[in-house]
Every structure is written in C-alpha cells, then in structure tokens.
Amino acid sequence: MATSCSYMVSTRLSMLGWSGGGRKELRNRRASFISAQQQQTDVEEAESVKAPPQEEQEQAESSRSWKPKGTKPRPVEPQLNVKSKNMTREYGGQWLSCTTRHIRIFAAYIDPVTCEFDQTQMDKLTLILDPSNEFVWKPDTCNLVYSYFQELVDHYEGAPLTEYTLRLIGSDLEHYIRKLLYDGVIKYNMDAKVLNFSMGKPRIMFNNDNQLEEPPEK
Amino acid sequence: MNSIEFPLLDRTTQNSVISTTLNDLSNWSRLSSLWPLLYGTSCCFIEFASLIGSRFDFDRYGLVPRSSPRQADLILTAGTVTVKMAPSLVRLYEQMPEPKYVIAMGACTITGGMFSTDSYSTVRGVDKLIPVDVYLPGCPPKPEAIIDAITKLRKKISREIDEDHIRSQQENRCFTTNHKFHVERSTHTGNYNQGFFYQPPFTSEITSDIFFKYKKSKHSATKPSN
C-alpha cells in the first residue's frame, strides 16, 4: 500500500514535470523561431555588408539578444468574457437536464421571476411545464403534475444524479400528462401557434365511462 | 369534444385598416426572409443541401442558411433524431429567437419513419420535442417537395395575427423541489494516469510485498514438483 502510494506520488510529480516540460518545449520552440528569423536577417545583413568580423559580432549580439527574449514568455491576457468557474461535477459543473416537449427538468434552481439559472444549487430539481403551451393549464392541473413530480423524486431517492434518472422521471411525467389528457382533466390549447396534437388527435371520449356509448373517433 | 379548449375565444381583434396593413407588412417581411439553420443529422440533409445549389436555388425565396441558431428563424429538422441528439435539438430550438418556425422534414421526424417499429433509440417524431409548423413527408423528400413545404409555411405565416402572439399567456410554469439523489464523484479529474493506478477493492488490502511473498511461496511450492 505504502509503495503503491509513493509510486502514485512520483507519477504525479512526473506529470507536473511533463506539463512543465511541455511549457519549456513551447518556450524553446518560440525561441528557436525567433532565432531563425534573426538568423535570416543576419544572413541578409552579412550579404549586404560582406564583413566576417561584423557577421560574427552580429551573431554574438543576436545570440545574446534572443536569450532573454526566449526566457520571458508573453503574459497571458486575462479573459474577461469567459465566466468559467472551474466547477467540477461535485459543485454543479455538469449540465443535467431532461428536455421533451412538455417536461423540462433541470438539476439546478431556476428563479421563477427572473429565470436565472443557478447550477451550483445541486440539491434542487426544477421542472418547467409545457413552455410551448400545447395544453391549457390551470393552477389545479399544474399542482397535480407538480405533486406527481415530487412523488417521483421521492421514489427515486438515493439514485445517482445523472441524466438517466432525470429522463426516467421525465418519461413518467409525460405518461402521467397523457393519462390526464385521456381522462379529460387537461385539454389541448386550440389557440396555440401550432396544433400538433402530439399526444393523439382529440377524441370524443377517451375513457368511456357511463356516458356516450359512441366508439372513439380518431 | 371534451379534449380541446379555446382559451382566447373572447378576444376582440382590431379590424382597422392600419393595423391589418401593418400586420400584413410584418408578415410579408417575415415570410420573405426565412433564414434556416444549417442543421442536418441524416440523409434528409443531402436533399436540403441540394437546395443551396443553383438547380433548386432557395435563395430566390429569401432563404439564407445560417450556422448559428441565434441568427436563424427556421429549423428544418433534416434527419433522424435519436435519444442522444434530442436534448441538443431542443437546446438549438430554445436558442433561436422568436418568431421561429419548424418544418419536420422526412418520415423519421414525423413519426419515426422506418425506425418506428423496432428501434430503441430513435425519437418517434420530433413533435415530441419541439412544436412543428409544417410536416413534410418523404424518405427523403425531393428538393421540389421541400420547396413546396417552404411555400406552405410562407402561406401559414401570411395568415398570422400579431395580437395572438401578444395575448397568448407567457407564464413560466416553474416548480422547484429538493431531491435526495446521490452525487457521484467525477472520475474525470484531468489526470491521464488515473486508470493505471486504480486499485480494485480486493487487491488494495493485499500490500505488494505480501503479494510477492505469496508469489514466491507459490513458486517455491511448485518447484520440487518440476
């Protein structure tokens, strides 16, 4: 165990060395590029002047001058527009969602007023219900779906927080909405921009109770 | 019919000449410059791409293909949408600014097409993900059929009434709940050598010197038999 740990530590150090070596390589490459350019200019100057001692002097000067240039890399410009918080998965760095036509579940907190999306609140799931308004939603029908959503989340307690579980919950919720539609609890919104009837064309009686005995029209 | 409802039935649209003319003007400007998103997942995109060429030029309808969803106002879902691609498609659709239109192109995006019977990963119809304005059947539809769908979409846009867009409720039905899911530690720590030093649980209890001692003893045990 001890030997394996020390082996890991040594490789980590070597990893650091490798990344540092990479940077050194880049620096050397830049230095060699600069020196190649200067050598070209030196050669041109030498041809124009045609004096060997001057050439040697220039070469010595260039060798002296490119050394400090090679060791000082350009400062990294601070990136102002990038809002990377360097978040790992544990702090909410992963976008987890389940998105279908009527159910959008996100593993984040979405402010209902400002619609601000906060991914760092890892213990919350937000459900956005039917953003395209395919159905007519009233507060009591919304609460039916919300309570079923809470039941499902409680049922999946202890499951890993992955897109797979979110999609299982989303799929169950879509089936629940379809059941509500067939029971007549919710209705299609005929004033929507598009009339897709994605959960089946409207029928006279989905679940034939004791009323009309007409066969359901499709 | 008890499964449909007209929530805005009692609206009163203005019938003045000026507002209808303005409405027609805005509709005309929108339908004459529908910029489609360069989107294609499968074979239907080949037919869509042939529209960009000179034979079936769609620039004459004002369609200029845009690569960014922020600048597009039409998305022709050309190609099968799988379960893996579905959230990306929804994200692209959400990134498009209003007013936006969707043409479901090809049999795969209407009902699942040839994948509707036995596939485990195809979404049976893109209207399960995004609202669709025009359905365009075909497998794949000919470029002339795509032009026909665009013409039908233009006619649909010309019939739009602006007040409907304003009056339709834009309520945000948001609901947040706490969950008790287990957040797993990420295995992608950025260390490439992580995989080499993963210790499966049963060997971690055996230190390496004990392991070598055991190996030696095994070797010595088998030696006299040789």
Side-chain angles (χ1 to χ4, degrees):
Chain A
M1 192 63 172
T3 50
S4 58
C5 280
S6 61
Y7 198 44
M8 271 177 79
V9 163
S10 66
T11 48
R12 236 178 243 155
L13 287 174
S14 70
M15 271 281 296
L16 286 173
W18 177 68
S19 58
R23 254 183 271 139
K24 270 187 223 155
E25 277 171 19
L26 281 172
R27 256 182 261 145
N28 285 337
R29 259 186 255 137
R30 215 181 292 138
S32 59
F33 184 62
I34 294 168
S35 66
Q37 275 183 335
Q38 286 189 327
Q39 276 172 11
Q40 263 191 356
T41 53
D42 287 339
V43 164
E44 283 170 354
E45 278 175 44
E47 280 178 355
S48 62
V49 173
K50 286 183 193 172
Q54 273 191 347
E55 203 184 316
E56 280 172 21
Q57 270 184 16
E58 278 163 359
Q59 273 195 354
E61 275 177 2
S62 66
S63 66
R64 257 183 274 130
S65 59
W66 61 251
K67 255 190 189 168
K69 269 191 200 170
T71 47
K72 259 195 221 167
R74 261 198 323 256
V76 177
E77 294 161 4
Q79 292 185 312
L80 300 165
N81 294 330
V82 174
K83 268 196 209 165
S84 166
K85 296 172 197 165
N86 259 342
M87 294 196 289
T88 55
R89 196 197 277 181
E90 294 87 5
Y91 300 108
Q94 204 179 30
W95 172 280
L96 293 167
S97 68
C98 157
T99 41
T100 58
R101 176 91 178 257
H102 314 106
I103 298 287
R104 307 267 169 94
I105 302 177
F106 298 101
Y109 172 69
I110 300 179
D111 197 56
V113 175
T114 59
C115 291
E116 206 187 293
F117 194 91
D118 187 11
Q119 246 173 307
T120 51
Q121 299 193 24
M122 293 275 291
D123 59 335
K124 295 196 168 54
L125 290 183
T126 303
L127 166 70
I128 298 183
L129 184 58
D130 202 4
S132 53
N133 285 327
E134 197 187 2
F135 298 108
V136 179
W137 293 102
K138 302 195 176 73
D140 53 343
T141 49
C142 286
N143 285 335
L144 279 175
V145 179
Y146 296 155
S147 55
Y148 190 64
F149 174 54
Q150 272 186 322
E151 267 178 46
L152 279 172
V153 170
D154 295 335
H155 172 71
Y156 279 103
E157 184 183 319
L161 183 64
T162 52
E163 283 219 348
Y164 180 64
T165 20
L166 294 186
R167 282 183 194 185
L168 283 174
I169 296 174
S171 164
D172 283 336
L173 275 166
E174 290 271 359
H175 282 299
Y176 183 66
I177 290 179
R178 196 155 187 244
K179 178 175 157 305
L180 288 181
L181 174 71
Y182 282 13
D183 289 338
V185 180
I186 55 176
K187 302 186 181 183
Y188 280 116
N189 176 17
M190 297 301 277
D191 287 314
K193 215 166 63 112
V194 291
L195 287 179
N196 287 143
F197 302 128
S198 64
M199 291 201 165
K201 287 239 190 93
R203 308 179 203 189
I204 293 212
M205 275 291 172
F206 280 110
N207 289 335
N208 246 336
D209 288 326
N210 359 330
Q211 294 180 12
L212 303 170
E213 291 296 315
E214 277 180 37
E217 290 173 8
K218 279 204 184 169
Chain B
M1 291 256 206
N2 66 340
S3 49
I4 57 176
E5 193 175 322
F6 295 84
L8 298 174
L9 195 57
D10 51 351
R11 74 179 190 274
T12 48
T13 46
Q14 291 177 355
N15 278 329
S16 72
V17 169
I18 296 172
S19 65
T20 43
T21 313
L22 280 174
N23 195 24
D24 286 342
L25 178 68
S26 71
N27 284 345
W28 168 79
S29 65
R30 229 179 294 137
L31 65 92
S32 321
S33 72
L34 275 172
W35 286 2
L37 179 66
L38 254 185
Y39 169 88
T41 37
S42 183
C43 10
C44 277
F45 180 66
I46 308 291
E47 302 292 340
F48 174 56
S50 68
L51 286 173
I52 304 175
S54 59
R55 196 183 184 102
F56 309 105
D57 185 22
F58 68 176
D59 199 8
R60 58 195 158 119
Y61 293 97
L63 271 69
V64 180
R66 307 302 298 171
S67 310
S68 164
R70 301 286 188 191
Q71 298 167 0
D73 50 6
L74 163 67
I75 180 168
L76 267 141
T77 52
T80 321
V81 178
T82 51
V83 169
K84 192 170 182 180
M85 181 68 192
S88 308
L89 172 63
V90 176
R91 195 156 178 185
L92 281 175
Y93 177 75
E94 290 298 315
Q95 285 177 337
M96 286 164 64
E98 287 278 346
K100 51 191 168 187
Y101 305 97
V102 177
I103 295 183
M105 175 179 168
C108 291
T109 51
I110 299 177
T111 52
M114 66 176 119
F115 303 108
S116 60
T117 46
D118 288 319
S119 169
Y120 48 76
S121 61
T122 316
V123 176
R124 309 292 196 267
V126 84
D127 56 4
K128 290 185 164 46
L129 304 169
I130 53 181
V132 172
D133 289 279
V134 176
Y135 290 96
L136 168 58
C139 190
K142 281 178 68 162
E144 292 96 335
I146 308 175
I147 301 261
D148 181 54
I150 290 170
T151 309
K152 288 197 162 68
L153 178 64
R154 283 156 61 100
K155 286 187 186 163
K156 180 177 179 180
I157 297 172
S158 70
R159 290 193 305 259
E160 277 181 3
I161 303 171
D162 279 340
E163 276 93 2
D164 279 352
H165 294 290
I166 300 166
R167 283 282 299 267
S168 64
Q169 309 149 6
Q170 259 309 318
E171 10 164 308
N172 216 359
R173 285 175 284 263
C174 250
F175 178 74
T176 311
T177 181
N178 287 339
H179 69 82
K180 295 199 190 86
F181 294 157
H182 158 66
V183 181
E184 288 171 339
R185 284 200 67 92
S186 173
T187 50
H188 302 295
T189 55
N191 267 344
Y192 287 116
N193 293 339
Q194 189 78 18
F196 289 119
F197 302 109
Y198 169 62
Q199 300 273 333
F202 74 101
T203 57
S204 63
E205 289 156 18
I206 308 170
T207 58
S208 50
D209 45 355
I210 297 176
F211 181 65
F212 285 126
K213 249 193 232 170
Y214 172 71
K215 247 200 140 177
K216 257 190 206 167
S217 62
K218 263 284 222 188
H219 187 69
S220 57
T222 53
K223 231 186 172 177
S225 64
N226 286 340

Coordinates of all heavy atoms in Angstrom, one line a residue, chain A residues 192-194, chain B residues 19-36 61-63 72-76 96-103 132-134 147-165:
Chain A
A192 N -53.0 27.8 -29.6 CA -51.6 27.7 -29.7 C -51.1 28.1 -31.1 O -51.9 27.9 -32.1 CB -51.1 26.4 -29.3
K193 N -49.9 28.4 -31.3 CA -49.4 28.7 -32.6 C -49.4 27.5 -33.5 O -49.6 27.7 -34.7 CB -47.9 29.2 -32.4 CG -47.5 30.3 -33.4 CD -46.2 31.0 -32.9 CE -45.1 30.0 -33.0 NZ -44.1 30.3 -34.0
V194 N -49.2 26.4 -33.0 CA -49.2 25.1 -33.8 C -50.1 24.1 -33.1 O -50.2 24.0 -31.9 CB -47.7 24.5 -33.9 CG1 -46.8 25.4 -34.7 CG2 -47.2 24.3 -32.5
Chain B
S19 N -54.0 48.7 -38.8 CA -53.4 47.6 -38.1 C -53.3 46.4 -38.9 O -52.3 45.6 -38.9 CB -54.2 47.3 -36.8 OG -55.5 46.9 -37.1
T20 N -54.3 46.1 -39.8 CA -54.2 45.0 -40.7 C -53.1 45.2 -41.7 O -52.4 44.2 -42.0 CB -55.6 44.7 -41.4 OG1 -56.1 45.9 -41.9 CG2 -56.5 44.0 -40.5
T21 N -53.0 46.4 -42.2 CA -51.9 46.6 -43.1 C -50.6 46.4 -42.5 O -49.6 45.8 -43.1 CB -52.0 48.0 -43.7 OG1 -53.4 48.3 -44.1 CG2 -51.1 48.2 -44.9
L22 N -50.4 46.9 -41.3 CA -49.2 46.7 -40.6 C -48.9 45.3 -40.3 O -47.8 44.8 -40.4 CB -49.2 47.5 -39.2 CG -48.9 49.0 -39.3 CD1 -49.1 49.6 -38.0 CD2 -47.5 49.2 -39.8
N23 N -50.0 44.6 -40.0 CA -49.9 43.1 -39.7 C -49.4 42.4 -41.0 O -48.5 41.6 -40.9 CB -51.2 42.6 -39.3 CG -51.2 41.3 -38.7 OD1 -50.2 40.9 -38.2 ND2 -52.3 40.5 -38.8
D24 N -50.0 42.8 -42.1 CA -49.6 42.1 -43.4 C -48.2 42.5 -43.7 O -47.5 41.6 -44.3 CB -50.6 42.6 -44.5 CG -51.9 42.0 -44.4 OD1 -52.1 41.0 -43.7 OD2 -52.9 42.5 -45.0
L25 N -47.8 43.7 -43.4 CA -46.5 44.1 -43.8 C -45.5 43.3 -42.9 O -44.5 42.8 -43.5 CB -46.3 45.6 -43.5 CG -44.9 46.2 -43.7 CD1 -44.6 46.2 -45.2 CD2 -44.8 47.6 -43.2
S26 N -45.7 43.2 -41.7 CA -44.8 42.4 -40.8 C -44.8 40.9 -41.2 O -43.7 40.3 -41.2 CB -45.1 42.6 -39.3 OG -46.3 41.9 -39.0
N27 N -45.9 40.4 -41.6 CA -46.0 39.0 -42.0 C -45.2 38.8 -43.3 O -44.4 37.9 -43.5 CB -47.4 38.6 -42.2 CG -48.1 38.3 -40.9 OD1 -47.5 38.2 -39.9 ND2 -49.4 38.2 -41.0
W28 N -45.4 39.8 -44.2 CA -44.7 39.7 -45.5 C -43.2 39.8 -45.3 O -42.4 39.0 -45.9 CB -45.2 40.8 -46.4 CG -44.3 40.9 -47.7 CD1 -44.4 40.2 -48.8 CD2 -43.3 41.9 -47.9 NE1 -43.4 40.6 -49.7 CE2 -42.8 41.6 -49.2 CE3 -42.8 42.9 -47.1 CZ2 -41.7 42.4 -49.7 CZ3 -41.8 43.7 -47.7 CH2 -41.2 43.4 -48.9
S29 N -42.8 40.7 -44.4 CA -41.3 40.8 -44.3 C -40.7 39.5 -43.6 O -39.6 39.1 -43.9 CB -41.0 42.0 -43.4 OG -41.5 41.8 -42.1
R30 N -41.5 38.9 -42.8 CA -41.0 37.7 -42.1 C -41.0 36.5 -43.1 O -40.1 35.7 -43.1 CB -41.9 37.4 -40.9 CG -41.1 37.1 -39.7 CD -41.9 36.8 -38.5 NE -42.7 37.9 -38.1 CZ -44.0 37.8 -37.8 NH1 -44.7 36.7 -37.8 NH2 -44.7 38.9 -37.4
L31 N -42.0 36.4 -43.9 CA -42.1 35.2 -44.8 C -41.1 35.3 -45.9 O -40.7 34.3 -46.5 CB -43.5 34.9 -45.3 CG -44.2 35.9 -46.2 CD1 -44.0 35.5 -47.6 CD2 -45.7 35.8 -45.9
S32 N -40.7 36.5 -46.3 CA -39.8 36.7 -47.4 C -38.4 36.5 -47.1 O -37.5 36.5 -48.0 CB -40.0 38.1 -48.1 OG -41.3 38.4 -48.1
S33 N -38.1 36.4 -45.8 CA -36.7 36.3 -45.4 C -36.6 35.3 -44.3 O -36.0 35.6 -43.2 CB -36.1 37.6 -45.0 OG -36.6 38.0 -43.8
L34 N -37.0 34.0 -44.6 CA -36.9 33.0 -43.6 C -35.5 32.5 -43.6 O -35.1 31.9 -44.6 CB -37.8 31.8 -44.0 CG -39.3 31.9 -43.5 CD1 -40.0 30.8 -44.2 CD2 -39.4 31.8 -42.0
W35 N -34.7 32.6 -42.6 CA -33.3 32.1 -42.6 C -33.3 30.8 -41.9 O -33.4 30.7 -40.7 CB -32.4 33.1 -42.0 CG -32.2 34.3 -42.8 CD1 -32.7 34.6 -44.0 CD2 -31.3 35.4 -42.5 NE1 -32.3 35.8 -44.5 CE2 -31.4 36.4 -43.5 CE3 -30.5 35.7 -41.4 CZ2 -30.7 37.5 -43.5 CZ3 -29.8 36.9 -41.4 CH2 -29.9 37.8 -42.5
P36 N -33.0 29.7 -42.7 CA -33.0 28.4 -42.0 C -31.6 28.1 -41.3 O -30.6 28.6 -41.8 CB -33.2 27.4 -43.1 CG -32.7 28.1 -44.3 CD -32.8 29.6 -44.1
Y61 N -36.2 32.4 -52.6 CA -37.3 32.6 -51.6 C -36.8 33.4 -50.4 O -37.6 33.6 -49.5 CB -37.8 31.2 -51.1 CG -38.4 30.4 -52.2 CD1 -37.7 29.4 -52.9 CD2 -39.8 30.6 -52.5 CE1 -38.4 28.7 -53.9 CE2 -40.4 29.9 -53.5 CZ -39.7 28.9 -54.2 OH -40.3 28.2 -55.1
G62 N -35.6 33.8 -50.5 CA -35.1 34.6 -49.4 C -34.4 33.8 -48.3 O -34.0 34.3 -47.2
L63 N -34.2 32.5 -48.5 CA -33.6 31.6 -47.5 C -32.1 31.7 -47.6 O -31.5 31.3 -48.6 CB -34.1 30.2 -47.7 CG -35.4 29.8 -47.0 CD1 -36.6 30.5 -47.6 CD2 -35.6 28.3 -47.1
A72 N -31.0 32.4 -36.8 CA -31.9 31.6 -37.7 C -33.3 31.8 -37.2 O -33.5 32.0 -36.0 CB -31.5 30.2 -37.7
D73 N -34.3 31.7 -38.1 CA -35.6 31.7 -37.7 C -36.4 30.5 -38.2 O -37.6 30.5 -38.0 CB -36.4 33.0 -37.9 CG -36.3 33.5 -39.3 OD1 -35.7 32.8 -40.2 OD2 -36.7 34.6 -39.6
L74 N -35.8 29.6 -38.9 CA -36.4 28.4 -39.3 C -35.5 27.3 -39.1 O -34.3 27.4 -39.3 CB -36.8 28.5 -40.8 CG -37.1 27.3 -41.6 CD1 -38.4 26.7 -41.1 CD2 -37.2 27.6 -43.0
I75 N -36.0 26.2 -38.6 CA -35.2 25.0 -38.4 C -35.9 23.8 -39.2 O -37.1 23.5 -38.9 CB -34.8 24.6 -37.0 CG1 -34.0 23.4 -36.9 CG2 -36.1 24.4 -36.1 CD1 -33.4 23.1 -35.6
L76 N -35.2 23.3 -40.2 CA -35.7 22.2 -40.9 C -35.1 20.9 -40.3 O -33.9 20.7 -40.5 CB -35.3 22.3 -42.4 CG -36.2 22.9 -43.4 CD1 -35.4 23.7 -44.3 CD2 -37.0 21.9 -44.1
M96 N -33.0 29.7 -30.6 CA -33.5 30.5 -31.7 C -34.4 31.6 -31.1 O -35.3 31.3 -30.3 CB -34.2 29.7 -32.7 CG -33.3 28.8 -33.6 SD -34.2 27.5 -34.4 CE -35.3 28.4 -35.5
P97 N -34.3 32.8 -31.6 CA -35.2 33.9 -31.1 C -36.5 33.8 -31.8 O -36.7 33.4 -32.9 CB -34.4 35.2 -31.4 CG -33.6 34.8 -32.6 CD -33.2 33.4 -32.5
E98 N -37.6 34.3 -31.0 CA -38.9 34.4 -31.6 C -38.9 35.4 -32.7 O -38.2 36.4 -32.6 CB -39.9 34.7 -30.5 CG -40.2 33.7 -29.5 CD -41.2 32.7 -30.0 OE1 -41.9 33.0 -31.0 OE2 -41.3 31.6 -29.4
P99 N -39.7 35.3 -33.7 CA -40.6 34.2 -34.1 C -39.8 33.1 -34.8 O -39.0 33.4 -35.7 CB -41.6 34.9 -35.0 CG -40.9 36.0 -35.6 CD -39.9 36.5 -34.6
K100 N -40.1 31.9 -34.5 CA -39.3 30.8 -35.1 C -40.3 29.8 -35.6 O -41.4 29.6 -35.1 CB -38.4 30.2 -34.1 CG -39.0 29.8 -32.8 CD -37.9 29.5 -31.7 CE -38.5 29.4 -30.4 NZ -37.5 29.2 -29.3
Y101 N -39.9 29.1 -36.6 CA -40.7 28.1 -37.2 C -40.0 26.8 -37.4 O -38.7 26.8 -37.5 CB -41.2 28.6 -38.6 CG -41.9 29.9 -38.5 CD1 -41.2 31.1 -38.8 CD2 -43.2 30.0 -38.1 CE1 -41.8 32.3 -38.6 CE2 -43.8 31.3 -38.0 CZ -43.1 32.4 -38.3 OH -43.7 33.6 -38.1
V102 N -40.7 25.7 -37.4 CA -40.1 24.4 -37.5 C -40.8 23.6 -38.7 O -42.0 23.6 -38.7 CB -40.2 23.5 -36.2 CG1 -39.7 22.2 -36.4 CG2 -39.6 24.2 -35.1
I103 N -40.0 23.1 -39.6 CA -40.5 22.2 -40.6 C -39.9 20.8 -40.2 O -38.7 20.6 -40.2 CB -40.1 22.6 -42.0 CG1 -40.7 23.9 -42.3 CG2 -40.5 21.5 -43.0 CD1 -40.4 24.4 -43.8
V132 N -44.1 21.8 -34.1 CA -43.8 21.7 -35.5 C -44.9 22.5 -36.3 O -46.1 22.4 -36.0 CB -43.8 20.3 -36.0 CG1 -43.8 20.2 -37.5 CG2 -42.7 19.5 -35.3
D133 N -44.5 23.3 -37.2 CA -45.4 24.1 -38.0 C -45.9 23.3 -39.3 O -47.1 23.2 -39.5 CB -44.8 25.4 -38.5 CG -44.6 26.4 -37.4 OD1 -45.6 27.0 -37.0 OD2 -43.5 26.4 -36.8
V134 N -44.9 22.7 -40.0 CA -45.3 22.1 -41.2 C -44.6 20.7 -41.2 O -43.4 20.5 -40.9 CB -44.7 22.8 -42.5 CG1 -45.0 22.1 -43.7 CG2 -45.4 24.2 -42.5
I147 N -39.3 22.6 -51.3 CA -39.7 24.0 -51.7 C -41.2 24.1 -51.5 O -41.7 25.2 -51.1 CB -39.4 24.2 -53.2 CG1 -37.9 24.1 -53.4 CG2 -39.9 25.5 -53.7 CD1 -37.1 25.3 -53.5
D148 N -42.0 23.0 -51.8 CA -43.4 23.1 -51.5 C -43.7 23.3 -50.1 O -44.6 24.1 -49.7 CB -44.0 21.7 -52.0 CG -45.5 21.7 -51.8 OD1 -46.2 22.6 -52.3 OD2 -46.0 20.8 -51.2
A149 N -42.9 22.6 -49.2 CA -43.2 22.8 -47.7 C -42.9 24.2 -47.3 O -43.6 24.8 -46.5 CB -42.3 21.9 -46.9
I150 N -41.8 24.8 -47.9 CA -41.5 26.2 -47.6 C -42.6 27.1 -48.1 O -42.9 28.1 -47.4 CB -40.1 26.5 -48.2 CG1 -39.0 25.8 -47.5 CG2 -39.8 28.0 -48.1 CD1 -37.7 25.9 -48.1
T151 N -43.1 26.8 -49.2 CA -44.2 27.7 -49.7 C -45.4 27.6 -48.8 O -46.1 28.6 -48.5 CB -44.6 27.2 -51.2 OG1 -43.4 27.1 -51.9 CG2 -45.6 28.1 -51.8
K152 N -45.7 26.4 -48.3 CA -46.9 26.2 -47.4 C -46.6 27.0 -46.1 O -47.5 27.6 -45.5 CB -47.1 24.8 -47.1 CG -47.7 24.0 -48.3 CD -48.3 22.7 -47.8 CE -49.3 22.2 -48.9 NZ -48.6 21.7 -50.1
L153 N -45.3 26.9 -45.6 CA -45.0 27.7 -44.4 C -45.2 29.2 -44.6 O -45.7 29.9 -43.8 CB -43.6 27.3 -44.0 CG -43.1 28.1 -42.7 CD1 -43.9 27.7 -41.5 CD2 -41.6 27.8 -42.5
R154 N -44.8 29.6 -45.8 CA -45.0 31.1 -46.1 C -46.4 31.4 -46.1 O -46.8 32.5 -45.6 CB -44.3 31.4 -47.5 CG -42.8 31.5 -47.4 CD -42.3 31.2 -48.8 NE -42.7 32.2 -49.8 CZ -42.0 33.2 -50.2 NH1 -40.8 33.4 -49.7 NH2 -42.5 34.0 -51.1
K155 N -47.3 30.6 -46.6 CA -48.7 30.9 -46.6 C -49.2 30.8 -45.2 O -50.1 31.6 -44.8 CB -49.5 29.8 -47.4 CG -49.3 30.0 -48.9 CD -50.2 29.0 -49.7 CE -49.9 29.1 -51.1 NZ -50.3 28.0 -51.9
K156 N -48.7 30.0 -44.4 CA -49.1 29.9 -43.0 C -48.7 31.2 -42.2 O -49.5 31.8 -41.5 CB -48.5 28.7 -42.3 CG -48.9 28.6 -40.9 CD -48.4 27.4 -40.2 CE -48.9 27.4 -38.8 NZ -48.4 26.3 -38.0
I157 N -47.5 31.7 -42.5 CA -47.0 32.9 -41.9 C -47.9 34.1 -42.3 O -48.2 35.0 -41.5 CB -45.5 33.1 -42.2 CG1 -44.7 32.0 -41.6 CG2 -45.1 34.4 -41.6 CD1 -43.3 32.1 -42.1
S158 N -48.3 34.1 -43.6 CA -49.1 35.2 -44.0 C -50.4 35.3 -43.4 O -51.0 36.4 -43.3 CB -49.3 35.1 -45.6 OG -50.1 34.1 -45.9
R159 N -50.9 34.2 -42.8 CA -52.2 34.2 -42.1 C -52.1 34.6 -40.6 O -53.1 34.6 -40.0 CB -52.9 32.8 -42.2 CG -53.3 32.4 -43.6 CD -54.2 31.2 -43.4 NE -53.6 30.1 -42.7 CZ -53.1 29.1 -43.3 NH1 -53.1 29.0 -44.6 NH2 -52.5 28.1 -42.6
E160 N -50.9 34.8 -40.1 CA -50.8 35.0 -38.7 C -51.3 36.4 -38.3 O -51.3 37.3 -39.0 CB -49.3 35.0 -38.3 CG -48.8 33.6 -38.1 CD -47.3 33.6 -37.7 OE1 -46.7 34.6 -37.6 OE2 -46.8 32.5 -37.6
I161 N -51.8 36.4 -37.0 CA -52.3 37.7 -36.5 C -51.4 38.0 -35.3 O -51.1 37.2 -34.4 CB -53.7 37.5 -36.0 CG1 -54.6 37.0 -37.1 CG2 -54.2 38.8 -35.4 CD1 -56.0 36.6 -36.6
D162 N -50.9 39.3 -35.3 CA -49.9 39.7 -34.3 C -50.5 39.6 -32.9 O -49.8 39.3 -31.9 CB -49.4 41.1 -34.6 CG -48.3 41.0 -35.6 OD1 -47.7 39.9 -35.8 OD2 -48.0 42.0 -36.3
E163 N -51.8 40.0 -32.8 CA -52.3 40.1 -31.4 C -52.3 38.7 -30.7 O -52.3 38.7 -29.5 CB -53.8 40.6 -31.4 CG -53.9 42.1 -31.5 CD -54.0 42.6 -32.9 OE1 -54.0 41.8 -33.8 OE2 -54.0 43.8 -33.1
D164 N -52.4 37.7 -31.5 CA -52.4 36.4 -30.9 C -51.1 36.1 -30.1 O -51.1 35.6 -29.0 CB -52.6 35.3 -31.9 CG -54.0 35.1 -32.3 OD1 -54.9 35.7 -31.6 OD2 -54.3 34.3 -33.3
H165 N -50.0 36.6 -30.7 CA -48.8 36.4 -30.1 C -48.7 37.2 -28.8 O -48.1 36.7 -27.8 CB -47.6 36.8 -31.0 CG -47.5 35.9 -32.2 ND1 -47.1 34.6 -32.1 CD2 -47.8 36.1 -33.5 CE1 -47.1 34.1 -33.3 NE2 -47.5 35.0 -34.2

